[in-house]
Amino acid sequence: MDNHSPPGPPPRLYGSDGAPVRVLVVDDEPDLTEVLSGVLSAEGWEVRTASDGASAVATARSFRPHAVVLDWMLPDMDGLGVLHGLRGELEHVCVLFLTARDSVEDRIAGITAGGDDYVTKPFSLEELLARLRGLLRRAGMARETNGDRLLVVGDLVMDEEAREVTRGGDLVELSRTEFELLRFLMRNPRRVLSKAQILDRVWSYDFGGRAHVVELYISYLRKKIDTGRPGMIHTVRGVGYVLKPES
């Protein structure tokens, strides 16, 4: 009888800034970009695509990806040209080349120019994902959580199973309502949440006349989370609140 359990899923990766990993996929084959987007999105990562070099560099400028999956041959320029543009915008971004070329010279050229790794078409999706995860970890662009039970935003970490919260490694004591409010904010990092949304999710109240409850508990959280540290809980006047790591 085999007593060995099958291996579980790998720990989830988050970007070093606490937000989901951001990956830019650059390829002029729509079917391939669609498949890769689906696989990477299933990891909980944010994915953008580009079909040529110019749009890749422009998208990287606004999207600020942690990693780029970059086809060697594009309609307007080769991968080395795109890589040069990317490094001008994002010095430390991880770049994984996709190439139909398997010559030693091409591989050396890509790595010498600043590419971090490559896979040769056709490739295994599992291999590509494993290489991306390895690149992100080694470059310090992403970090692991222990399965799905941890929420991580910057240096703020919530263990949902143990119901423990730390910031910068220091334990933060929260009441049940404070914990639920922070959990809702941490599940929606960088997203502005209205008082109505917070009331509905945390208190299950209708919005009428109870905005002061949200304001009160936000102030409680700020005292426990932000006092003596760079603020993470921000008010968007007239709209609501947003949790985001320090810049």
Side-chain angles (χ1 to χ4, degrees), residues 16-61:
S16 56
D17 57 1
V21 170
R22 298 182 296 277
V23 182
L24 174 60
V25 177
V26 186
D27 199 293
D28 60 346
E29 297 179 41
D31 290 345
L32 179 58
T33 56
E34 183 178 354
V35 169
L36 288 178
S37 294
V39 170
L40 300 178
S41 295
E43 287 290 301
W45 299 355
E46 292 184 14
V47 184
R48 299 277 177 85
T49 63
S51 58
D52 58 59
S55 59
V57 175
T59 300
R61 186 176 297 122

mmCIF file of all heavy atoms in Angstrom, residues 16-61:
data_model
loop_
_atom_site.group_PDB
_atom_site.id
_atom_site.type_symbol
_atom_site.label_atom_id
_atom_site.label_comp_id
_atom_site.label_asym_id
_atom_site.label_seq_id
_atom_site.Cartn_x
_atom_site.Cartn_y
_atom_site.Cartn_z
ATOM 1 N N SER A 16 6.955 41.186 -4.946
ATOM 2 C CA SER A 16 7.689 41.707 -3.801
ATOM 3 C C SER A 16 7.009 42.915 -3.187
ATOM 4 O O SER A 16 7.280 43.266 -2.037
ATOM 5 C CB SER A 16 9.119 42.079 -4.230
ATOM 6 O OG SER A 16 9.083 42.992 -5.311
ATOM 7 N N ASP A 17 6.108 43.571 -3.937
ATOM 8 C CA ASP A 17 5.358 44.699 -3.410
ATOM 9 C C ASP A 17 4.068 44.274 -2.739
ATOM 10 O O ASP A 17 3.279 45.113 -2.314
ATOM 11 C CB ASP A 17 5.054 45.715 -4.517
ATOM 12 C CG ASP A 17 4.300 45.106 -5.699
ATOM 13 O OD1 ASP A 17 3.991 43.898 -5.641
ATOM 14 O OD2 ASP A 17 4.041 45.835 -6.667
ATOM 15 N N GLY A 18 3.836 42.962 -2.636
ATOM 16 C CA GLY A 18 2.648 42.464 -1.964
ATOM 17 C C GLY A 18 1.454 42.279 -2.872
ATOM 18 O O GLY A 18 0.470 41.643 -2.491
ATOM 19 N N ALA A 19 1.499 42.834 -4.059
ATOM 20 C CA ALA A 19 0.409 42.695 -5.017
ATOM 21 C C ALA A 19 0.580 41.406 -5.809
ATOM 22 O O ALA A 19 1.636 40.775 -5.769
ATOM 23 C CB ALA A 19 0.395 43.903 -5.958
ATOM 24 N N PRO A 20 -0.467 40.968 -6.537
ATOM 25 C CA PRO A 20 -0.292 39.787 -7.392
ATOM 26 C C PRO A 20 0.851 39.982 -8.380
ATOM 27 O O PRO A 20 1.137 41.105 -8.814
ATOM 28 C CB PRO A 20 -1.639 39.695 -8.130
ATOM 29 C CG PRO A 20 -2.618 40.361 -7.213
ATOM 30 C CD PRO A 20 -1.849 41.471 -6.561
ATOM 31 N N VAL A 21 1.518 38.885 -8.726
ATOM 32 C CA VAL A 21 2.583 38.928 -9.727
ATOM 33 C C VAL A 21 2.012 39.463 -11.041
ATOM 34 O O VAL A 21 0.931 39.060 -11.473
ATOM 35 C CB VAL A 21 3.180 37.522 -9.938
ATOM 36 C CG1 VAL A 21 4.110 37.498 -11.147
ATOM 37 C CG2 VAL A 21 3.927 37.073 -8.688
ATOM 38 N N ARG A 22 2.735 40.373 -11.666
ATOM 39 C CA ARG A 22 2.315 40.947 -12.945
ATOM 40 C C ARG A 22 3.226 40.432 -14.053
ATOM 41 O O ARG A 22 4.457 40.535 -13.943
ATOM 42 C CB ARG A 22 2.375 42.475 -12.889
ATOM 43 C CG ARG A 22 1.444 43.088 -11.863
ATOM 44 C CD ARG A 22 1.488 44.606 -11.876
ATOM 45 N NE ARG A 22 2.786 45.142 -11.494
ATOM 46 C CZ ARG A 22 3.185 45.313 -10.238
ATOM 47 N NH1 ARG A 22 2.387 44.980 -9.233
ATOM 48 N NH2 ARG A 22 4.383 45.811 -9.962
ATOM 49 N N VAL A 23 2.621 39.851 -15.102
ATOM 50 C CA VAL A 23 3.388 39.282 -16.211
ATOM 51 C C VAL A 23 2.884 39.868 -17.526
ATOM 52 O O VAL A 23 1.675 39.911 -17.772
ATOM 53 C CB VAL A 23 3.268 37.747 -16.254
ATOM 54 C CG1 VAL A 23 4.115 37.180 -17.395
ATOM 55 C CG2 VAL A 23 3.701 37.130 -14.930
ATOM 56 N N LEU A 24 3.813 40.309 -18.351
ATOM 57 C CA LEU A 24 3.510 40.789 -19.691
ATOM 58 C C LEU A 24 3.908 39.702 -20.687
ATOM 59 O O LEU A 24 5.059 39.257 -20.698
ATOM 60 C CB LEU A 24 4.276 42.078 -19.977
ATOM 61 C CG LEU A 24 4.186 42.650 -21.394
ATOM 62 C CD1 LEU A 24 2.754 42.987 -21.766
ATOM 63 C CD2 LEU A 24 5.093 43.882 -21.519
ATOM 64 N N VAL A 25 2.955 39.251 -21.512
ATOM 65 C CA VAL A 25 3.210 38.241 -22.530
ATOM 66 C C VAL A 25 3.273 38.933 -23.887
ATOM 67 O O VAL A 25 2.313 39.598 -24.299
ATOM 68 C CB VAL A 25 2.105 37.161 -22.543
ATOM 69 C CG1 VAL A 25 2.359 36.155 -23.662
ATOM 70 C CG2 VAL A 25 2.028 36.452 -21.190
ATOM 71 N N VAL A 26 4.404 38.787 -24.589
ATOM 72 C CA VAL A 26 4.613 39.472 -25.864
ATOM 73 C C VAL A 26 4.816 38.426 -26.957
ATOM 74 O O VAL A 26 5.838 37.746 -27.004
ATOM 75 C CB VAL A 26 5.839 40.408 -25.800
ATOM 76 C CG1 VAL A 26 5.933 41.226 -27.091
ATOM 77 C CG2 VAL A 26 5.760 41.322 -24.586
ATOM 78 N N ASP A 27 3.827 38.306 -27.837
ATOM 79 C CA ASP A 27 3.900 37.350 -28.940
ATOM 80 C C ASP A 27 2.871 37.760 -29.977
ATOM 81 O O ASP A 27 1.806 38.268 -29.625
ATOM 82 C CB ASP A 27 3.633 35.922 -28.441
ATOM 83 C CG ASP A 27 4.135 34.865 -29.421
ATOM 84 O OD1 ASP A 27 3.563 34.776 -30.525
ATOM 85 O OD2 ASP A 27 5.091 34.142 -29.077
ATOM 86 N N ASP A 28 3.178 37.536 -31.257
ATOM 87 C CA ASP A 28 2.237 37.928 -32.304
ATOM 88 C C ASP A 28 1.318 36.783 -32.720
ATOM 89 O O ASP A 28 0.589 36.897 -33.711
ATOM 90 C CB ASP A 28 2.985 38.480 -33.527
ATOM 91 C CG ASP A 28 3.936 37.463 -34.149
ATOM 92 O OD1 ASP A 28 4.209 36.439 -33.497
ATOM 93 O OD2 ASP A 28 4.398 37.706 -35.283
ATOM 94 N N GLU A 29 1.321 35.682 -31.960
ATOM 95 C CA GLU A 29 0.399 34.578 -32.206
ATOM 96 C C GLU A 29 -0.750 34.671 -31.207
ATOM 97 O O GLU A 29 -0.582 34.350 -30.028
ATOM 98 C CB GLU A 29 1.105 33.236 -32.047
ATOM 99 C CG GLU A 29 2.242 32.997 -33.040
ATOM 100 C CD GLU A 29 2.909 31.651 -32.818
ATOM 101 O OE1 GLU A 29 2.177 30.661 -32.568
ATOM 102 O OE2 GLU A 29 4.146 31.591 -32.869
ATOM 103 N N PRO A 30 -1.945 35.112 -31.639
ATOM 104 C CA PRO A 30 -3.064 35.310 -30.708
ATOM 105 C C PRO A 30 -3.439 34.051 -29.923
ATOM 106 O O PRO A 30 -3.762 34.136 -28.734
ATOM 107 C CB PRO A 30 -4.218 35.763 -31.617
ATOM 108 C CG PRO A 30 -3.554 36.304 -32.845
ATOM 109 C CD PRO A 30 -2.301 35.496 -33.023
ATOM 110 N N ASP A 31 -3.390 32.897 -30.579
ATOM 111 C CA ASP A 31 -3.762 31.662 -29.888
ATOM 112 C C ASP A 31 -2.807 31.376 -28.738
ATOM 113 O O ASP A 31 -3.227 30.947 -27.652
ATOM 114 C CB ASP A 31 -3.764 30.480 -30.860
ATOM 115 C CG ASP A 31 -4.912 30.555 -31.856
ATOM 116 O OD1 ASP A 31 -5.850 31.345 -31.608
ATOM 117 O OD2 ASP A 31 -4.865 29.845 -32.877
ATOM 118 N N LEU A 32 -1.528 31.622 -28.961
ATOM 119 C CA LEU A 32 -0.537 31.352 -27.921
ATOM 120 C C LEU A 32 -0.691 32.335 -26.761
ATOM 121 O O LEU A 32 -0.644 31.930 -25.592
ATOM 122 C CB LEU A 32 0.878 31.447 -28.506
ATOM 123 C CG LEU A 32 2.023 31.215 -27.512
ATOM 124 C CD1 LEU A 32 1.895 29.848 -26.848
ATOM 125 C CD2 LEU A 32 3.371 31.346 -28.214
ATOM 126 N N THR A 33 -0.865 33.615 -27.061
ATOM 127 C CA THR A 33 -1.028 34.593 -25.970
ATOM 128 C C THR A 33 -2.289 34.297 -25.162
ATOM 129 O O THR A 33 -2.300 34.470 -23.942
ATOM 130 C CB THR A 33 -1.075 36.036 -26.508
ATOM 131 O OG1 THR A 33 -2.116 36.149 -27.478
ATOM 132 C CG2 THR A 33 0.241 36.439 -27.130
ATOM 133 N N GLU A 34 -3.330 33.813 -25.821
ATOM 134 C CA GLU A 34 -4.560 33.474 -25.103
ATOM 135 C C GLU A 34 -4.332 32.305 -24.148
ATOM 136 O O GLU A 34 -4.771 32.333 -22.990
ATOM 137 C CB GLU A 34 -5.673 33.142 -26.092
ATOM 138 C CG GLU A 34 -7.011 32.839 -25.422
ATOM 139 C CD GLU A 34 -8.119 32.546 -26.417
ATOM 140 O OE1 GLU A 34 -7.890 32.690 -27.638
ATOM 141 O OE2 GLU A 34 -9.217 32.165 -25.974
ATOM 142 N N VAL A 35 -3.632 31.276 -24.629
ATOM 143 C CA VAL A 35 -3.352 30.114 -23.781
ATOM 144 C C VAL A 35 -2.464 30.511 -22.600
ATOM 145 O O VAL A 35 -2.740 30.147 -21.446
ATOM 146 C CB VAL A 35 -2.689 28.994 -24.605
ATOM 147 C CG1 VAL A 35 -2.157 27.894 -23.681
ATOM 148 C CG2 VAL A 35 -3.674 28.404 -25.598
ATOM 149 N N LEU A 36 -1.401 31.250 -22.881
ATOM 150 C CA LEU A 36 -0.497 31.659 -21.804
ATOM 151 C C LEU A 36 -1.204 32.552 -20.798
ATOM 152 O O LEU A 36 -1.005 32.420 -19.584
ATOM 153 C CB LEU A 36 0.719 32.390 -22.391
ATOM 154 C CG LEU A 36 1.729 31.522 -23.145
ATOM 155 C CD1 LEU A 36 2.845 32.381 -23.714
ATOM 156 C CD2 LEU A 36 2.304 30.449 -22.237
ATOM 157 N N SER A 37 -2.045 33.452 -21.273
ATOM 158 C CA SER A 37 -2.785 34.326 -20.364
ATOM 159 C C SER A 37 -3.664 33.501 -19.425
ATOM 160 O O SER A 37 -3.750 33.786 -18.223
ATOM 161 C CB SER A 37 -3.655 35.309 -21.153
ATOM 162 O OG SER A 37 -2.869 36.214 -21.884
ATOM 163 N N GLY A 38 -4.306 32.468 -19.979
ATOM 164 C CA GLY A 38 -5.159 31.623 -19.150
ATOM 165 C C GLY A 38 -4.386 30.878 -18.088
ATOM 166 O O GLY A 38 -4.797 30.821 -16.922
ATOM 167 N N VAL A 39 -3.237 30.326 -18.469
ATOM 168 C CA VAL A 39 -2.419 29.562 -17.525
ATOM 169 C C VAL A 39 -1.874 30.458 -16.418
ATOM 170 O O VAL A 39 -1.922 30.105 -15.224
ATOM 171 C CB VAL A 39 -1.257 28.869 -18.266
ATOM 172 C CG1 VAL A 39 -0.253 28.282 -17.281
ATOM 173 C CG2 VAL A 39 -1.789 27.780 -19.185
ATOM 174 N N LEU A 40 -1.379 31.623 -16.782
ATOM 175 C CA LEU A 40 -0.795 32.532 -15.790
ATOM 176 C C LEU A 40 -1.866 33.148 -14.905
ATOM 177 O O LEU A 40 -1.658 33.342 -13.703
ATOM 178 C CB LEU A 40 0.016 33.618 -16.493
ATOM 179 C CG LEU A 40 1.182 33.110 -17.362
ATOM 180 C CD1 LEU A 40 1.882 34.269 -18.058
ATOM 181 C CD2 LEU A 40 2.179 32.309 -16.531
ATOM 182 N N SER A 41 -3.021 33.452 -15.475
ATOM 183 C CA SER A 41 -4.124 33.998 -14.677
ATOM 184 C C SER A 41 -4.612 32.980 -13.654
ATOM 185 O O SER A 41 -5.032 33.345 -12.550
ATOM 186 C CB SER A 41 -5.278 34.425 -15.584
ATOM 187 O OG SER A 41 -4.902 35.490 -16.435
ATOM 188 N N ALA A 42 -4.552 31.698 -14.017
ATOM 189 C CA ALA A 42 -4.968 30.641 -13.093
ATOM 190 C C ALA A 42 -4.058 30.579 -11.866
ATOM 191 O O ALA A 42 -4.452 30.043 -10.818
ATOM 192 C CB ALA A 42 -4.984 29.288 -13.796
ATOM 193 N N GLU A 43 -2.845 31.133 -11.989
ATOM 194 C CA GLU A 43 -1.929 31.221 -10.845
ATOM 195 C C GLU A 43 -2.285 32.379 -9.918
ATOM 196 O O GLU A 43 -1.658 32.570 -8.884
ATOM 197 C CB GLU A 43 -0.493 31.426 -11.347
ATOM 198 C CG GLU A 43 0.129 30.211 -11.969
ATOM 199 C CD GLU A 43 0.426 29.137 -10.934
ATOM 200 O OE1 GLU A 43 1.192 29.404 -9.986
ATOM 201 O OE2 GLU A 43 -0.121 28.031 -11.066
ATOM 202 N N GLY A 44 -3.283 33.172 -10.313
ATOM 203 C CA GLY A 44 -3.626 34.356 -9.544
ATOM 204 C C GLY A 44 -2.815 35.572 -9.945
ATOM 205 O O GLY A 44 -2.821 36.585 -9.246
ATOM 206 N N TRP A 45 -2.103 35.475 -11.086
ATOM 207 C CA TRP A 45 -1.264 36.573 -11.541
ATOM 208 C C TRP A 45 -2.053 37.509 -12.460
ATOM 209 O O TRP A 45 -3.012 37.097 -13.123
ATOM 210 C CB TRP A 45 -0.052 36.028 -12.299
ATOM 211 C CG TRP A 45 0.833 35.148 -11.464
ATOM 212 C CD1 TRP A 45 0.707 34.889 -10.124
ATOM 213 C CD2 TRP A 45 1.966 34.394 -11.905
ATOM 214 N NE1 TRP A 45 1.699 34.027 -9.711
ATOM 215 C CE2 TRP A 45 2.488 33.708 -10.781
ATOM 216 C CE3 TRP A 45 2.583 34.239 -13.142
ATOM 217 C CZ2 TRP A 45 3.595 32.888 -10.862
ATOM 218 C CZ3 TRP A 45 3.702 33.405 -13.217
ATOM 219 C CH2 TRP A 45 4.206 32.742 -12.093
ATOM 220 N N GLU A 46 -1.631 38.751 -12.513
ATOM 221 C CA GLU A 46 -2.207 39.702 -13.450
ATOM 222 C C GLU A 46 -1.430 39.619 -14.761
ATOM 223 O O GLU A 46 -0.201 39.632 -14.753
ATOM 224 C CB GLU A 46 -2.137 41.124 -12.896
ATOM 225 C CG GLU A 46 -3.040 41.359 -11.690
ATOM 226 C CD GLU A 46 -3.015 42.799 -11.245
ATOM 227 O OE1 GLU A 46 -2.522 43.656 -12.010
ATOM 228 O OE2 GLU A 46 -3.488 43.078 -10.127
ATOM 229 N N VAL A 47 -2.147 39.553 -15.863
ATOM 230 C CA VAL A 47 -1.510 39.339 -17.161
ATOM 231 C C VAL A 47 -1.958 40.409 -18.146
ATOM 232 O O VAL A 47 -3.152 40.725 -18.238
ATOM 233 C CB VAL A 47 -1.845 37.942 -17.729
ATOM 234 C CG1 VAL A 47 -1.086 37.698 -19.030
ATOM 235 C CG2 VAL A 47 -1.520 36.845 -16.717
ATOM 236 N N ARG A 48 -1.009 40.964 -18.872
ATOM 237 C CA ARG A 48 -1.288 41.821 -20.023
ATOM 238 C C ARG A 48 -0.571 41.213 -21.223
ATOM 239 O O ARG A 48 0.420 40.488 -21.063
ATOM 240 C CB ARG A 48 -0.776 43.250 -19.793
ATOM 241 C CG ARG A 48 -1.407 43.957 -18.612
ATOM 242 C CD ARG A 48 -2.735 44.593 -18.939
ATOM 243 N NE ARG A 48 -3.336 45.201 -17.754
ATOM 244 C CZ ARG A 48 -3.059 46.419 -17.322
ATOM 245 N NH1 ARG A 48 -2.219 47.181 -18.008
ATOM 246 N NH2 ARG A 48 -3.641 46.903 -16.240
ATOM 247 N N THR A 49 -1.058 41.548 -22.409
ATOM 248 C CA THR A 49 -0.437 41.009 -23.624
ATOM 249 C C THR A 49 -0.095 42.135 -24.588
ATOM 250 O O THR A 49 -0.682 43.215 -24.548
ATOM 251 C CB THR A 49 -1.366 40.000 -24.328
ATOM 252 O OG1 THR A 49 -2.555 40.662 -24.750
ATOM 253 C CG2 THR A 49 -1.722 38.849 -23.399
ATOM 254 N N ALA A 50 0.852 41.841 -25.459
ATOM 255 C CA ALA A 50 1.227 42.756 -26.542
ATOM 256 C C ALA A 50 1.630 41.904 -27.733
ATOM 257 O O ALA A 50 2.177 40.811 -27.567
ATOM 258 C CB ALA A 50 2.372 43.670 -26.125
ATOM 259 N N SER A 51 1.363 42.417 -28.942
ATOM 260 C CA SER A 51 1.638 41.624 -30.145
ATOM 261 C C SER A 51 2.816 42.152 -30.951
ATOM 262 O O SER A 51 3.169 41.579 -31.982
ATOM 263 C CB SER A 51 0.390 41.581 -31.034
ATOM 264 O OG SER A 51 -0.011 42.889 -31.394
ATOM 265 N N ASP A 52 3.424 43.245 -30.504
ATOM 266 C CA ASP A 52 4.616 43.753 -31.182
ATOM 267 C C ASP A 52 5.504 44.467 -30.166
ATOM 268 O O ASP A 52 5.104 44.712 -29.023
ATOM 269 C CB ASP A 52 4.240 44.695 -32.342
ATOM 270 C CG ASP A 52 3.411 45.886 -31.894
ATOM 271 O OD1 ASP A 52 3.875 46.670 -31.047
ATOM 272 O OD2 ASP A 52 2.278 46.042 -32.411
ATOM 273 N N GLY A 53 6.715 44.803 -30.604
ATOM 274 C CA GLY A 53 7.697 45.355 -29.688
ATOM 275 C C GLY A 53 7.337 46.717 -29.147
ATOM 276 O O GLY A 53 7.501 46.994 -27.946
ATOM 277 N N ALA A 54 6.828 47.599 -30.009
ATOM 278 C CA ALA A 54 6.510 48.959 -29.574
ATOM 279 C C ALA A 54 5.421 48.966 -28.507
ATOM 280 O O ALA A 54 5.537 49.654 -27.479
ATOM 281 C CB ALA A 54 6.086 49.805 -30.776
ATOM 282 N N SER A 55 4.362 48.175 -28.729
ATOM 283 C CA SER A 55 3.291 48.136 -27.735
ATOM 284 C C SER A 55 3.746 47.428 -26.460
ATOM 285 O O SER A 55 3.274 47.738 -25.362
ATOM 286 C CB SER A 55 2.045 47.459 -28.308
ATOM 287 O OG SER A 55 2.316 46.134 -28.722
ATOM 288 N N ALA A 56 4.697 46.508 -26.585
ATOM 289 C CA ALA A 56 5.232 45.836 -25.392
ATOM 290 C C ALA A 56 5.928 46.826 -24.473
ATOM 291 O O ALA A 56 5.705 46.842 -23.259
ATOM 292 C CB ALA A 56 6.201 44.729 -25.803
ATOM 293 N N VAL A 57 6.775 47.673 -25.059
ATOM 294 C CA VAL A 57 7.500 48.656 -24.253
ATOM 295 C C VAL A 57 6.529 49.669 -23.649
ATOM 296 O O VAL A 57 6.648 50.052 -22.483
ATOM 297 C CB VAL A 57 8.577 49.356 -25.097
ATOM 298 C CG1 VAL A 57 9.249 50.470 -24.292
ATOM 299 C CG2 VAL A 57 9.627 48.343 -25.565
ATOM 300 N N ALA A 58 5.538 50.106 -24.445
ATOM 301 C CA ALA A 58 4.555 51.056 -23.941
ATOM 302 C C ALA A 58 3.726 50.450 -22.811
ATOM 303 O O ALA A 58 3.469 51.107 -21.788
ATOM 304 C CB ALA A 58 3.641 51.517 -25.080
ATOM 305 N N THR A 59 3.324 49.193 -22.954
ATOM 306 C CA THR A 59 2.535 48.529 -21.919
ATOM 307 C C THR A 59 3.360 48.333 -20.655
ATOM 308 O O THR A 59 2.863 48.531 -19.538
ATOM 309 C CB THR A 59 2.017 47.165 -22.418
ATOM 310 O OG1 THR A 59 1.204 47.373 -23.570
ATOM 311 C CG2 THR A 59 1.200 46.466 -21.346
ATOM 312 N N ALA A 60 4.616 47.966 -20.822
ATOM 313 C CA ALA A 60 5.489 47.769 -19.656
ATOM 314 C C ALA A 60 5.641 49.062 -18.863
ATOM 315 O O ALA A 60 5.721 49.038 -17.632
ATOM 316 C CB ALA A 60 6.854 47.265 -20.106
ATOM 317 N N ARG A 61 5.649 50.185 -19.547
ATOM 318 C CA ARG A 61 5.829 51.478 -18.883
ATOM 319 C C ARG A 61 4.699 51.748 -17.886
ATOM 320 O O ARG A 61 4.936 52.256 -16.789
ATOM 321 C CB ARG A 61 5.892 52.580 -19.933
ATOM 322 C CG ARG A 61 6.222 53.966 -19.383
ATOM 323 C CD ARG A 61 6.350 54.983 -20.500
ATOM 324 N NE ARG A 61 7.462 54.653 -21.392
ATOM 325 C CZ ARG A 61 7.330 54.445 -22.700
ATOM 326 N NH1 ARG A 61 6.150 54.541 -23.285
ATOM 327 N NH2 ARG A 61 8.383 54.153 -23.433
#
